[in-house]
Each structure stands twice: as C-alpha cells, then as structure tokens.
Amino acid sequence: MARLFGTDGVRGVAGRDLTASLALDLATAAAQVLTDGEREGPRPLAVVGRDPRASGEFLEAAVVAGLASAGVDVVRLGVLPTPAVAHLTDELGADFGVMLSASHNPAPDNGIKFFARGGHKLPDAVEDAIEARLGQPVTSAVGADVGRVTDAADGAERYIRHVVASLPHGLEGLKVVLDCANGASHQVGPEALRRAGAEVITIGDQPNGLNINEGCGSTHLDTLRAAVLEHGADAGIAHDGDADRCLAVAADGSVVDGDQILAILALELQEAGRLAGDTLVVTVMSNLGLKLAMRTAGVNVVETPVGDRYVLEAMRAGGHSLGGEQSGHVVLLDHASTGDGLLTGLHLLGAMSRRGLSLAELAKVMTRLPQVLVNVRGVDKSRAATSPEIAAAVAEAETELGDQGRVLIRPSGTEPMIRVMVEAAAQPHAQEVADRLAGVVRSALG
C-alpha cells in the first residue's frame, strides 16, 4: 500500500481522495500521536488554519471535530498562510498545528499538513506513526474532557507584527506589486508590506474559493510581470496559494527566481555577520550559477535532496540560518521554522532599500547557467543508479562540461520516469548533452 503522506503532508482531490471522513480520522490519529495519548493536566492545544479553497471549509470542520472529540482544545485561525500557522503554533504554545492547503495546486485539490510543537514539520517516522493509527479503535473524550473550540481574535495581527519586526531596514520609497495568488496571503501580505513602508499594488487578492492559483501567483509570473511594467513598480512579489513561496519580478520585467533570491539574501546575511557558518543550504536542483557565485563570495554550499523538508533538516542539523529551493521556498531560520514567502519578500525588498539598488542589479550577483530538463518516461527507474551505461555517459558528459556545467540524473519520486538535468555555459550545448544522455537512459532502462 502506498504511503499516505507525501513530501508535504496528505494531498489529493478534495471530496474524492481527501474526504471529510479521512480528514476526521487523520486529526484523531494525529491527536493520539502528537500529544502522547492520555496525559494529566490541561487538555492539549492545537491551532488550525486553512487557505481560501472552498473545500477547506468542510475539511476544517472535519479536522476540528476529530481533534475536539479526541480531547484537544482547538483554536481556529481562519484563512492564513502556512508559515503563519507554523509561527502561531509556536507563539501560542500549541502542542501542534494543522494547515489545510494544497499550496500551488489548483482549487479542486487540498491537503492536510501537521506541525509539531514549535512549528516544525514532522519527521517521516512521526507521519508514519500517525498513518499507522488510522482505523484503530479510539476512545472519544466525554464530558469535561471534550476539547473546546474557539476562534483566534488576533492571529493575523500577531503574524504581521512578527514578520515586519524581523526587517532590519524599512521599505519607504519602494512601489511594489504583490500577487497573492487569490490565496492565503491576500489580507496579511499587503498589510505587512504597507506597515514596512512600501507603496503596494495588489493583484490576485480576490479569492472566491475556486480561483486560487488560477492564472496568477508564483506559477504564472506573466500576470505579475505585466502589472509591474504597467504600474512602473520597483519590483513584483509573487506567492503561491499558501504563501510559503516567493518569486519576484524586477522593474524591467525580468524574473528573479529562488536561487537568485537565495544569493541576494546570503550576501546580505554574510555582510551583517548573521549567515551562520557562512553556509547556504540548497537542493541538488539549484542552478550551478548559484554555487559558483557563493564560491566567489566565500560562502559554503550544502546540498540536499529535492524538497524543502530536506533543506530544513540539514539546516537544523548543521545550525545554519539560510536555505531554500529554486522554486521559491526560502527558509530564514532566525525568524521562521519553515519556508515563508511573505518574510522572504520583505527581506528581499529590504535588501533593495538598504543598498539603494534595483532588483535587477542585485540579481546580478549570480549568473544563471542555462538549464535543460528532459523527462524520460516508460523506463525502469529502479535500475538507474546501478546502470554502467548511464554512469559512463554521465562521466563523459561531466568531463566535457568541466567546471562550467553539471549533470544530474535522478528518478522521479512520483512517476515512472527519469529526470535528466544538464547545465552548461550555452543553451544549445546544454540541450545537446541532455538529449544525448536521455537517449542513453532510454536504451539502458527501456
């Protein structure tokens, strides 16, 4: 049987894969695992937030019912970004937090993710323990032991104050377009930027439960680019549906991706003496240009598998303060326990304001090498790591590319295919090498 938890909680089409009964059962199981079952003293406390998807309404009701029936007091946070739920899990002293969101996925999808005490993502072993509890008999609380449910009066305000207070420099004089992806940041995002001093123009700020991520947000940057150019803005910031991502657009319309944001923030922290261990944590998919720029700046780079949870694990294990992914998941561990798109955007704009430079100028700290990705489908991905033909082809390509290129061949985590990624100094060269390697993969594993 396939594992229920994926790389970021339990996710699927709401009402079909992710049903109300499954949400209730997951909440009950999580209550047993995350509060150590029965205990003396006050009832456990959980906070629950969601993004604006229509299905979040019934899923929230199911989760809250499951938690309260298991004897957990619940504070409903309403519509807030995922990192806000993580932060409030810690600030309110909750035993755990629950977020209902499918991030950048379309509106029919939804998901449930849990945060442990302190607002940290759960290790695989804890998720497995929750999954193992599903379907097991549970004794519901009765009488005075039943969990009580309240609504947070100041959850959004607490989060806004937190992210704005983290800024070392105000944003006065900057005109910013903020694309909220018709998602969870549509209220707290603009308010935080305005309090920090920026002039804010918002798009994607009219969620109706069905339009989240639809033609807007971090997965559709053309909308933001057009708005930045139309309004003559200094920069544009794009979030995804639950606002744990941040991508940007410069005044000239050029896209600034997660790797470039990481490079800018790494140098800001290094200059301030706050880049712990002079180290940046990234995934194997980060552009080689980022690593070359960090080498020049004297910043060490630690690589992890793809997934922000692996970045977080490496950061916490090594005591590092900055890490993230090309997709815009950026973790500023001095201020947040998980990726936070609003926090990232504020600090990126803060760097512009402090240095008096445009975003395009800041982004020149690294040069993105052309990157080509070819997906080879219908092959036996389990044999990729042991194929002598693939190993020989990769070694030949790496020799050919030298220190100005890179090859990465990895099995997809969710589909029967192999991903072939090649970076080189020139796009045609990268494409030629990628196509050649894809041919070897098809021949060796087909």
Side-chain angles (χ1 to χ4, degrees):
M1 183 177 176
R3 188 174 187 265
L4 185 62
F5 281 87
T7 56
D8 201 18
V10 177
R11 194 175 295 186
V13 176
R16 186 183 70 193
D17 307 316
L18 186 55
T19 62
S21 60
L22 176 57
L24 189 148
D25 290 345
L26 273 169
T28 305
Q32 298 294 312
V33 172
L34 297 176
T35 63
D36 301 319
E38 298 181 1
R39 71 176 191 180
E40 297 180 357
R43 284 187 298 267
L45 174 67
V47 296
V48 178
R50 64 181 180 89
D51 71 23
R53 294 166 206 267
S55 60
E57 296 167 4
F58 81 77
L59 290 172
E60 178 192 58
V63 166
V64 170
L67 295 177
S69 69
V72 177
D73 286 342
V74 179
V75 175
R76 287 186 300 208
L77 302 174
V79 174
L80 280 179
T82 290
V85 175
H87 171 71
L88 291 167
T89 299
D90 183 33
E91 185 170 319
L92 296 177
D95 292 271
F96 62 97
V98 187
M99 178 66 185
L100 302 164
S101 176
S103 190
H104 59 283
N105 286 25
D109 293 349
N110 216 322
I112 302 177
K113 66 182 78 174
F114 296 95
F115 291 101
R117 189 178 288 108
H120 301 290
K121 290 192 174 185
L122 302 184
D124 288 347
V126 177
E127 289 181 339
D128 289 341
I130 293 173
E131 192 167 332
R133 291 265 185 159
L134 290 175
Q136 293 187 9
V138 175
T139 301
S140 295
V142 297
D145 292 330
V146 170
R148 305 303 297 272
V149 181
T150 56
D151 293 312
D154 61 351
E157 176 62 23
R158 284 173 177 264
Y159 174 63
I160 291 170
R161 285 202 305 258
H162 162 66
V163 294
V164 173
S166 74
L167 265 182
H169 198 284
L171 307 183
E172 289 78 10
L174 290 182
K175 180 191 287 189
V176 181
V177 179
L178 178 65
D179 187 343
C180 304
N182 290 317
S185 68
H186 72 283
Q187 291 181 324
V188 296
E191 178 63 19
L193 285 172
R194 291 188 179 105
R195 288 197 199 178
E199 176 186 348
V200 184
I201 299 156
T202 54
I203 60 176
D205 60 341
Q206 299 295 320
N208 61 16
L210 302 175
N211 60 358
I212 190 169
N213 300 312
E214 189 176 88
C216 57
S218 61
T219 52
H220 298 88
L221 290 175
D222 285 345
T223 305
L224 178 60
R225 183 186 294 115
V228 167
L229 295 174
E230 176 188 350
H231 293 283
D234 296 296
I237 298 293
H239 299 315
D240 58 341
D242 69 336
D244 64 352
R245 293 188 188 192
C246 172
L247 294 178
V249 171
D252 62 2
S254 59
V255 171
V256 178
D257 69 10
D259 284 341
Q260 292 168 298
I261 292 171
L262 285 166
I264 294 167
L265 295 183
L267 296 189
E268 283 292 292
L269 291 174
Q270 183 190 44
E271 184 173 319
R274 292 188 290 112
L275 184 65
D278 280 332
T279 297
L280 173 65
V281 181
V282 301
T283 77
V284 292
M285 289 301 290
S286 281
N287 195 279
L288 178 59
L290 171 61
K291 296 163 193 172
L292 295 175
M294 293 300 95
R295 182 190 303 169
T296 299
V299 174
N300 305 310
V301 175
V302 172
E303 285 189 340
T304 76
V306 175
D308 66 322
R309 66 183 304 159
Y310 301 113
V311 172
L312 269 165
E313 287 174 4
M315 291 177 69
R316 293 177 67 187
H320 306 307
S321 54
L322 180 65
E325 296 186 284
Q326 192 179 68
S327 61
H329 281 120
V330 174
V331 184
L332 289 152
L333 207 53
D334 287 343
H335 307 293
S337 59
T338 189
D340 189 326
L342 180 52
L343 185 72
T344 300
L346 284 167
H347 282 255
L348 179 65
L349 296 168
M352 290 176 59
S353 180
R354 188 185 76 81
R355 292 181 179 272
L357 296 174
S358 72
L359 184 54
E361 290 172 318
L362 283 180
K364 289 178 181 177
V365 67
M366 67 163 279
T367 301
R368 281 186 296 193
L369 269 65
Q371 189 177 81
V372 173
L373 181 65
V374 178
N375 294 325
V376 184
R377 301 180 183 273
V379 294
D380 181 2
K381 64 181 184 180
S382 66
R383 294 192 290 117
T386 58
S387 167
E389 295 90 347
I390 293 176
V394 167
E396 181 182 345
E398 289 175 337
T399 299
E400 177 182 334
L401 294 169
D403 62 1
Q404 293 299 305
R406 188 167 66 106
V407 173
L408 178 64
I409 295 181
R410 67 181 185 92
S412 166
T414 57
E415 299 179 73
M417 66 182 183
I418 300 291
R419 301 189 191 279
V420 177
M421 190 275 287
V422 175
E423 291 170 339
Q427 174 78 18
H429 192 194
Q431 188 70 59
E432 187 272 325
V433 175
D435 289 340
R436 185 201 319 157
L437 289 172
V440 173
V441 171
R442 289 189 190 95
S443 174
L445 306 181

